[in-house]
Amino acid sequence: YTPTARPAGLSVTVTVSGTPLPVLPRPVGALGPLVIGRADRPSVPDQPVLAWDPVTGPLAVVGIAGSGVTSTLRAAAWSAASAYSPDELHVYAFEGARGSLAGLEAWTHTGAVVGPGDDDRRRRLLHLIDRELRRRRADAGPGPSILVLVDDANALMADLDAERHGAGVETLRRLASDGAALGLHLGFGVDRASGTTAALWRGTPNRIVLTVADPADRLALGLPSSRPRTRPAAPGRGTSVTGAVDLQ
């Protein structure tokens, strides 16, 4: 794959079979573009690649169960792990109720996959993220790139609110708003645009919308009203809000 230009946010790239993505200049500790799918352009024989550039900010994937939310997050993790060694990349995940990210635990890149009922490990992982944000903010030196995945951000934020764990909510907010510049990158999935994730949306320019239960969510997430989806998307198909690109 060879980009036509340096990717910015969710970008569509031109496919050249057998040619790897070039190494682009990055801030220390930052990940390069991660392939998460292909643009759905029936008129083009070789479908362009859709890549998320984590330097531009977090990635949000919105869709009901079975629409491909977790698969998109796993694709980002796989793309990163394929390009970086375990010394260069650490992966952490907050698991959803379906347990679809549990397979990441077998990877040598993965530090932890925390389930929804494991309050103690969840607090420890949030503390680790908070400590690393503070360390890098204090110019204590770069570390490995860190990729944090949240499979059901609405549920996680609701749990933290119920526990009155304001520090955890604030850590995730700072991860979304400040992490990219410090080499900590966030990808999260939600089943709807409304809910408890307002603190994350403000720092998240990169958004993919799959099948949603309420069509109003598409408008709330920034898709032009002139591009309504009148039928449910097949699993794994949706639209990138950046540039309103259909994807598969």
Side-chain angles (χ1 to χ4, degrees), residues 31 34 36 52 54 58-61 69-81 89-96 100-105 107 109-115 122 125-126 129 146-153 156 172 175 184-190 200:
L31 293 176
L34 305 179
I36 55 175
W52 164 42
L59 170 69
V61 188
V69 172
T70 308
S71 296
T72 304
L73 297 178
R74 280 201 306 260
W78 177 255
S79 182
L89 169 70
H90 294 174
V91 177
Y92 298 94
F94 294 94
E95 182 65 284
S100 301
L101 293 178
L104 300 184
E105 287 186 298
W107 296 9
H109 298 75
T110 303
V113 177
V114 178
R122 181 169 60 202
L125 179 51
L126 287 166
I129 295 168
I146 292 177
L147 177 61
V148 179
L149 303 176
V150 182
D151 192 29
D152 188 344
L156 174 60
L172 292 174
L175 175 62
L184 284 82
H185 307 289
L186 173 65
F188 65 93
V190 292
L200 302 185

Side-chain angles (χ1 to χ4, degrees), residues 156-184:
L156 174 60
M157 299 292 274
D159 286 348
L160 294 176
D161 282 343
E163 296 170 11
R164 298 185 179 180
H165 190 3
V169 173
E170 176 61 15
T171 293
L172 292 174
R173 186 200 65 77
R174 288 192 294 111
L175 175 62
S177 62
D178 304 335
L182 302 173
L184 284 82

Side-chain angles (χ1 to χ4, degrees), residues 38-98:
R38 290 185 179 275
D40 189 7
R41 293 181 174 175
S43 62
V44 179
D46 197 2
Q47 298 299 312
V49 163
L50 186 72
W52 164 42
D53 188 347
V55 165
T56 65
L59 170 69
V61 188
V62 187
I64 60 175
S67 64
V69 172
T70 308
S71 296
T72 304
L73 297 178
R74 280 201 306 260
W78 177 255
S79 182
S82 298
Y84 299 91
S85 73
D87 291 332
E88 298 170 316
L89 169 70
H90 294 174
V91 177
Y92 298 94
F94 294 94
E95 182 65 284
R98 295 185 297 275

